[in-house]
Amino acid sequence: MELTITKNVTPSGGSMERMITVPNGYVKHLLSHARLQGYDLNNLLSHVGINPEDIEKQTEFPADKFGQLYQRIIWITQDESFGMLSGGRVPNGTFRMMCHSIIHCKTLEKALRRCSDFYEICRGSKVKPVVIRKGRYAKISFAPTQELTHDEFSQLLGNETPDQIRTSLSVWQHFTSWLIGTRLELKAAYFSFAKPDNAEYYETLFRSEIRFDQHDNAIVFPARYLDYPIIQNEESLHGFLKTAPYQLLVMVDDDKSLKSQVIAMIGKDFSREMPSADEVANVLHMSVSTLRRRLLDEDTSYQKIKDDCRKGAAINYMNSPQLSINDVAGLMGFDEPSAFFRSFKKWTGMTPGEYRKSEDYNRQFD
């Protein structure tokens, strides 16, 4: 889903908070599907505080309102696959359970393969995502579950609208991006249908080469992303699910820096040994010297990024009062609490005990 960021200006000339919007056509497309299924559009819109006149007047629509509208439609239809490629009605809660089944996978590749297995056994969907790795590139596409033959799957695809297929691929791109903490940069996006009138929009949405009249519907990307660790955890998943499908419809974090890629490679599991600069450079298909030079160009270094990541994780754990300091030390990969004490003081200027008595810690409970 494309997002547009605009900055509102006050009458005095000052700037206000940025507004994230989506093209108005997405709202109309969503509502047209709801209308075809017999739902009262006025009740839908009033429930989330949307004026029907605004839909006709505006070319862009607030992304948060669109997310609320989508949530409402999913709730009343009891179908999490509404507006996307599925071949069936997917019960509410399916996506949440799928996320819980993959959140502890070590790499993106393992997570995507488990997603495919999950949709093979879940109730409702007759379509599952599949990941294929071949040489330097990989792709995510769709395949039938055991409920469909390949001929039935081909017929299903032929009956789906381009908007549904496009949205489905976009959602999977954004979901994988969230899992690894950095945007999944595509080489190309393939579509089985003919070139639509709004073909230029596909380039804006996927930011890659676009091909139509292909034998498959797929997004193609460098295979190295499959080796990235899953950086999300139970806590971040909880917040993600509360706002879903907002983060799947818009890609807010668009940091393309090398630093962001390195952070994604390091991940958030510090109980395991952190990757070396050699290992990170190898996955990113560059030499260590090139990695160091390019990070220097961004005014940072691999060591500084590691220290900042560990500091951030340590503070995050320390801000959880249910965790003892020894618990935090273990989660941070320290065999001896005393070693964690020394490192934490180096990072923050305070011992763990001093930090929990500080204003920074206690302010969150005010």
Side-chain angles (χ1 to χ4, degrees), residues 99-339:
C99 287
H100 281 293
S101 76
I102 70 170
I103 198 65
H104 297 295
C105 289
K106 292 297 184 183
T107 66
L108 178 61
E109 182 169 16
K110 290 180 180 179
L112 290 174
R113 296 194 185 282
R114 186 170 292 180
C115 285
S116 185
D117 292 341
F118 183 90
Y119 276 97
E120 187 66 64
I121 62 172
C122 77
R123 182 165 55 92
S125 182
K126 298 177 182 178
V127 178
K128 63 181 181 180
V130 291
V131 59
I132 298 174
R133 184 174 194 156
K134 189 174 182 180
R136 292 179 55 197
Y137 292 98
K139 73 174 182 178
I140 296 173
S141 59
F142 302 107
T145 64
Q146 293 180 1
E147 291 190 46
L148 290 182
T149 66
H150 282 281
D151 287 342
E152 289 172 331
F153 179 62
S154 297
Q155 184 178 0
L156 171 65
L157 284 178
N159 292 331
E160 298 286 355
T161 66
D163 286 340
Q164 287 174 297
I165 295 173
R166 179 196 63 205
T167 299
S168 299
L169 281 177
S170 177
V171 161
W172 277 102
Q173 180 192 8
H174 291 178
F175 181 53
T176 56
S177 298
W178 176 77
L179 286 173
I180 61 177
T182 190
R183 187 183 181 91
L184 183 71
E185 295 291 338
L186 304 183
K187 175 181 181 289
Y190 298 154
F191 299 94
S192 59
F193 47 82
K195 185 176 181 179
D197 293 335
N198 62 339
E200 70 284 350
Y201 174 68
Y202 285 66
E203 295 181 3
T204 302
L205 175 61
F206 292 97
R207 302 182 190 179
S208 68
E209 177 187 359
I210 305 294
R211 295 184 182 180
F212 299 100
D213 291 314
Q214 302 297 303
H215 72 283
D216 198 6
N217 296 284
I219 50 175
V220 180
F221 52 93
R224 59 182 170 81
Y225 283 107
L226 293 178
D227 298 321
Y228 278 34
I230 302 301
I231 72 162
Q232 307 299 341
N233 53 34
E234 297 279 355
E235 183 180 350
S236 61
L237 175 60
H238 178 70
F240 175 78
L241 292 174
K242 284 179 66 176
T243 59
Y246 175 80
Q247 294 187 63
L248 299 179
L249 300 172
V250 299
M251 181 54 65
V252 177
D253 185 4
D254 194 28
D255 187 352
K256 298 180 182 178
S257 67
L258 179 60
K259 176 182 175 181
S260 71
Q261 296 182 61
V262 172
I263 290 173
M265 283 297 306
I266 290 174
K268 292 184 178 179
D269 181 4
F270 294 95
S271 63
R272 61 179 173 80
E273 186 176 353
M274 297 178 70
S276 66
D278 287 309
E279 291 170 327
V280 170
N282 184 57
V283 172
L284 295 175
H285 296 289
M286 63 179 68
S287 65
V288 176
S289 59
T290 299
L291 174 69
R292 288 172 176 156
R293 175 177 54 78
R294 288 185 55 187
L295 287 176
L296 186 60
D297 290 340
E298 295 181 7
D299 294 321
T300 189
S301 67
Y302 185 62
Q303 186 61 51
K304 185 177 186 308
I305 292 173
K306 285 203 303 182
D307 288 343
D308 288 345
C309 287
R310 298 183 81 194
K311 174 184 175 180
I315 291 175
N316 181 59
Y317 287 138
M318 287 293 296
N319 285 339
S320 301
Q322 71 273 20
L323 295 175
S324 70
I325 295 176
N326 284 354
D327 289 336
V328 176
L331 288 167
M332 291 299 300
F334 288 89
D335 295 328
E336 296 293 334
S338 59

